[in-house]
Amino acid sequence: MATVEQFVKEIARGNTRAIARAISYMEEGGEPAQELLSMLNQRAHAGIGPHIMGITGAPGAGKSSLTDQLLTYLRSCGKRIAVIAVDPSSPFTGGAVLGDRVRMNRHALDPLIFIRSMGTRGSGGGLSRSVRHALQVLYHAPFDVILLETVGVGQAELDIVYVADTVTVVLTPSGGDEVQAAKAGLMEIGDVFLVNKADLPGSANVAKDVQEMLHVTEREDGWDPPVLLSSAVKNDGVKQWWDACEEHFAHLLQEHRLVKRRGRARVQAMHELLQQGLWREMEHKLHEDDKYARMQEQVEIGDRSPEAAVSQILMDIFKSTLRV
Amino acid sequence: MATVEQFVKEIARGNTRAIARAISYMEEGGEPAQELLSMLNQRAHAGIGPHIMGITGAPGAGKSSLTDQLLTYLRSCGKRIAVIAVDPSSPFTGGAVLGDRVRMNRHALDPLIFIRSMGTRGSGGGLSRSVRHALQVLYHAPFDVILLETVGVGQAELDIVYVADTVTVVLTPSGGDEVQAAKAGLMEIGDVFLVNKADLPGSANVAKDVQEMLHVTEREDGWDPPVLLSSAVKNDGVKQWWDACEEHFAHLLQEHRLVKRRGRARVQAMHELLQQGLWREMEHKLHEDDKYARMQEQVEIGDRSPEAAVSQILMDIFKSTLRV
């Protein structure tokens, strides 16, 4: 066990190679991941840890350019930053045009910036688990800020963002963007809203619409999400954006809000793991347990309805019936 | 029970009001739904039942206009048709422009066409269950064709379409549409591909790209999905589309393919119900069972890791541990 302890110490010292290796271990799973995870979980954290920032929005909204500019800005403030990119269109995951790649490489060579990209292939659940595990490693490394960039489409992506302390939703003035965002459930999860491409016409209107939508429901945490304008092209609005995020973090530090928020994220992670685990065990039973395998066959040939089979199985396992 | 039997007979006779009421019962759930469902499930079906056609594609691809034209065409062939629309942009669910509404109303007054729209609000699982229940009712009514129109974005929508015998994927020549379709998993589920808006430039190229993408993998059912051009605006290509769908259905009728396909759909429905049921019972336990409620509290305050808690719970229920 001495080696795992040593490993964790190297992570805590900020050894980039140790951090990268630890995240890979976590992704691979199995014994080493288990050991490392329990060692990390046992390790008491001195302070509140890094500020975990989520950045989400539709493809093409300009998240990557904004992330890039934020990196430049935060570096100029002397911050140590880690980036987790789970956006297929992000330069960090290799899906972008040449110009973006060049920018990204500039940061990749910076020893105080750690960049990790995650594939969006595979199940959403698996991805959100990978992100959570990477965060558990990064949490114990000496970063000031962790940026989590994810494209805001689909439930899988929303499931990822809940681990962030502060979520920024990036919108553009293109037609109906705010309506799409509302449909995708982005209104509920944003702590800061950024109407990007503010040089295009209509941005002020979008900002106004978002502002109005946000005021329909009052948030129970007492935070009033600001709606800001930015222009990634003109390198405009990044400082105001960061100030808003810091203000939100300061808000979280009052009245145990951060502790509560991170606690909720842990419970949600537990629920996610539980859903996946229950289903994996059930699938196993459907294959290995003769009784259940026969039931499934009956459903397949139409001798038993799906409802009747499920009722029976739930009764077996939980002593309760299915309600249609 | 005599009344439920009578009710089912009215459905089988094609009594539109009985059909509509039965679907509403199913949506409301509870006792009457249970009774009706088991009565329908008990009822032997004389033939193979209606041809269930799924139509999916991105918003704005022209699904609704195509559905409308197909309705007109099929009516001219003397077919009896039911439509289930779960597309928020469909005129059948009320989200379309005036012209579409007018067209829709024309069909709504036709006694041989049954139209039912389903909200896309609520959980995907709930929606796919509603569709399946509506199909169970419609399956026992004297329709020749059931059209299931659903917008092809997100896993929830794909989960709905698997109940169809023949799935048509509608694409447009707009930039990168075929790439988006591939990403959304539409390539795997389409039995017929329709490049709509063929009057726009680039449609031939899109058709070629799709054709090539389809030839990368051979389908185990031996079907080679045709890629057709259509123009909803010019009312062009609808007959060829329908012919391709009938050809696919004829293919399914050979070598027990239809029986197998519908069997798979029933198994998938069973899995879906099982996932939902397991989680509902688990959530109940997390609230009501002191032991589990305490575990969740420990996770929330950070005294126990989500992984450790889930391991313990799975061990309790399935006598197995969580693999990270």
Side-chain angles (χ1 to χ4, degrees):
Chain A
M1 294 304 105
T3 48
V4 182
E5 254 172 62
Q6 188 58 35
F7 197 24
V8 170
K9 265 185 199 155
E10 286 300 313
I11 294 168
R13 273 190 48 229
N15 179 333
T16 314
R17 284 187 56 194
I19 294 169
R21 235 172 71 204
I23 294 175
S24 297
Y25 279 153
M26 293 300 232
E27 280 182 337
E28 282 159 24
E31 237 1 76
Q34 291 268 26
E35 243 177 84
L36 182 58
L37 195 59
S38 75
M39 190 64 81
L40 286 171
N41 282 329
Q42 277 165 36
R43 195 170 175 279
H45 202 287
I48 48 165
H51 181 183
I52 306 169
M53 293 247 307
I55 303 169
T56 193
K63 293 180 297 299
S64 303
S65 304
L66 285 164
T67 300
D68 179 77
Q69 283 168 17
L70 188 61
L71 278 179
T72 305
Y73 176 70
L74 291 178
R75 280 293 285 120
S76 76
C77 306
K79 305 260 188 205
R80 286 158 305 179
I81 312 142
V83 179
I84 302 176
V86 279
D87 178 353
S89 69
S90 163
F92 305 112
T93 51
V97 292
L98 188 64
D100 279 336
R101 262 185 220 277
V102 172
R103 272 213 304 277
M104 180 296 254
N105 282 339
R106 175 162 56 85
H107 290 309
L109 294 173
D110 185 330
L112 291 182
I113 293 182
F114 178 86
I115 296 175
R116 182 76 174 204
S117 69
M118 305 237 159
T120 51
R121 290 251 152 215
S123 75
L127 183 61
S128 119
R129 191 192 294 196
S130 295
V131 167
R132 204 155 32 75
H133 285 170
L135 280 178
Q136 272 170 304
V137 173
L138 295 173
Y139 184 76
H140 290 281
F143 293 111
D144 299 303
V145 179
I146 300 175
L147 297 178
L148 174 59
E149 182 193 335
T150 164
V151 68
V153 284
Q155 193 54 44
E157 284 72 20
L158 297 185
D159 284 347
I160 291 170
V161 158
Y162 74 82
V163 295
D165 302 323
T166 302
V167 173
T168 296
V169 171
V170 182
L171 302 165
T172 62
S174 52
D177 217 30
E178 66 277 27
V179 179
Q180 291 300 327
K183 272 189 192 167
L186 294 178
M187 286 298 151
E188 288 84 355
I189 63 162
D191 302 302
V192 175
F193 288 84
L194 213 53
V195 180
N196 195 25
K197 307 186 182 178
D199 38 307
L200 296 181
S203 52
N205 279 339
V206 170
K208 208 174 118 251
D209 288 353
V210 171
Q211 198 71 264
E212 275 167 16
M213 276 195 248
L214 289 171
H215 283 159
V216 171
T217 49
E218 206 180 323
R219 288 167 57 126
E220 54 179 69
D221 63 359
W223 174 251
D224 188 15
V227 182
L228 308 171
L229 295 174
S230 70
S231 167
V233 186
K234 292 187 176 172
N235 203 350
D236 215 15
V238 171
K239 187 190 176 308
Q240 290 87 323
W241 174 29
W242 175 247
D243 289 346
C245 293
E246 284 217 299
E247 206 182 307
H248 178 252
F249 199 59
H251 176 82
L252 288 180
L253 291 178
Q254 291 160 27
E255 295 174 29
H256 308 290
R257 290 189 191 104
L258 183 66
V259 173
K260 280 186 207 154
R261 185 163 174 144
R262 289 183 174 174
R264 265 204 307 276
R266 273 193 301 271
V267 169
Q268 198 161 332
M270 173 186 163
H271 288 180
E272 219 175 79
L273 285 169
L274 204 44
Q275 278 181 322
Q276 291 163 11
L278 285 170
W279 181 239
R280 200 185 37 236
E281 295 306 326
M282 193 66 240
E283 271 190 313
H284 184 76
K285 263 197 186 306
L286 288 174
H287 280 106
E288 302 301 323
D289 189 315
D290 280 350
K291 182 178 165 195
Y292 292 150
R294 204 159 342 111
M295 250 186 227
Q296 182 165 296
E297 258 172 50
Q298 290 173 332
V299 168
E300 186 163 8
I301 60 176
D303 273 2
R304 196 190 273 250
S305 72
E307 285 79 9
V310 172
S311 269
Q312 184 59 52
I313 294 172
L314 290 180
M315 178 60 86
D316 281 3
I317 295 173
F318 285 106
K319 315 289 168 231
S320 74
T321 57
L322 173 77
R323 290 167 287 262
V324 176
Chain B
M1 295 308 106
T3 48
V4 182
E5 254 173 64
Q6 189 57 37
F7 197 21
V8 170
K9 266 187 199 154
E10 286 300 315
I11 293 168
R13 272 190 49 231
N15 179 333
T16 314
R17 282 188 57 193
I19 294 169
R21 233 173 71 203
I23 295 177
S24 298
Y25 278 153
M26 293 298 232
E27 281 182 337
E28 282 160 25
E31 227 18 66
Q34 291 268 28
E35 244 177 82
L36 182 58
L37 194 59
S38 74
M39 190 64 83
L40 286 172
N41 281 330
Q42 277 164 36
R43 196 170 173 278
H45 202 286
I48 48 164
H51 181 183
I52 306 170
M53 293 246 308
I55 303 168
T56 192
K63 293 181 299 299
S64 303
S65 304
L66 284 165
T67 300
D68 179 78
Q69 283 170 15
L70 187 61
L71 278 180
T72 305
Y73 176 70
L74 292 177
R75 279 295 286 120
S76 77
C77 306
K79 305 261 187 206
R80 286 157 306 180
I81 311 141
V83 179
I84 303 176
V86 278
D87 178 352
S89 68
S90 163
F92 305 112
T93 49
V97 293
L98 189 64
D100 280 333
R101 265 184 218 276
V102 172
R103 274 211 305 275
M104 171 317 243
N105 282 338
R106 174 163 56 86
H107 290 307
L109 294 173
D110 184 332
L112 291 182
I113 293 183
F114 178 87
I115 296 174
R116 182 75 172 206
S117 69
M118 304 238 160
T120 51
R121 289 253 153 213
S123 74
L127 184 60
S128 116
R129 190 191 294 196
S130 295
V131 168
R132 203 156 32 76
H133 285 171
L135 279 177
Q136 272 168 305
V137 172
L138 295 173
Y139 184 77
H140 291 279
F143 293 110
D144 300 301
V145 179
I146 301 175
L147 296 178
L148 174 58
E149 183 194 335
T150 163
V151 69
V153 283
Q155 193 53 46
E157 284 73 18
L158 297 185
D159 286 345
I160 291 169
V161 159
Y162 74 83
V163 297
D165 301 323
T166 302
V167 173
T168 297
V169 170
V170 182
L171 301 165
T172 62
S174 51
D177 218 30
E178 66 277 28
V179 179
Q180 292 299 327
K183 273 189 193 167
L186 294 178
M187 286 299 150
E188 288 84 356
I189 63 164
D191 302 302
V192 175
F193 289 83
L194 216 53
V195 180
N196 196 26
K197 307 188 182 177
D199 38 309
L200 295 181
S203 52
N205 279 338
V206 170
K208 209 175 117 252
D209 288 353
V210 171
Q211 199 71 263
E212 275 168 17
M213 276 195 251
L214 289 171
H215 283 160
V216 173
T217 50
E218 206 180 323
R219 287 167 56 125
E220 55 178 69
D221 63 358
W223 174 252
D224 188 16
V227 182
L228 308 171
L229 295 173
S230 70
S231 167
V233 186
K234 291 185 175 171
N235 204 351
D236 215 14
V238 171
K239 188 189 175 308
Q240 290 88 319
W241 173 32
W242 174 247
D243 288 346
C245 292
E246 284 215 299
E247 207 182 304
H248 178 251
F249 199 60
H251 176 81
L252 287 180
L253 291 177
Q254 291 159 28
E255 296 174 29
H256 308 291
R257 291 190 191 103
L258 184 66
V259 173
K260 281 185 207 153
R261 185 165 174 143
R262 288 183 174 173
R264 266 204 305 277
R266 271 193 302 271
V267 169
Q268 196 161 334
M270 173 187 163
H271 288 180
E272 218 174 83
L273 284 169
L274 204 43
Q275 278 181 320
Q276 291 162 12
L278 285 170
W279 181 240
R280 198 184 40 236
E281 294 308 326
M282 193 66 241
E283 271 190 312
H284 184 75
K285 264 199 187 302
L286 287 173
H287 280 105
E288 302 301 323
D289 188 314
D290 280 348
K291 182 179 162 192
Y292 292 150
R294 206 159 340 113
M295 252 187 230
Q296 180 164 299
E297 259 172 49
Q298 289 171 331
V299 168
E300 187 164 6
I301 60 174
D303 273 1
R304 198 192 273 250
S305 73
E307 285 80 8
V310 171
S311 270
Q312 183 59 51
I313 294 171
L314 290 180
M315 178 61 86
D316 281 4
I317 295 173
F318 286 105
K319 315 288 169 233
S320 74
T321 56
L322 173 76
R323 289 167 289 266
V324 175

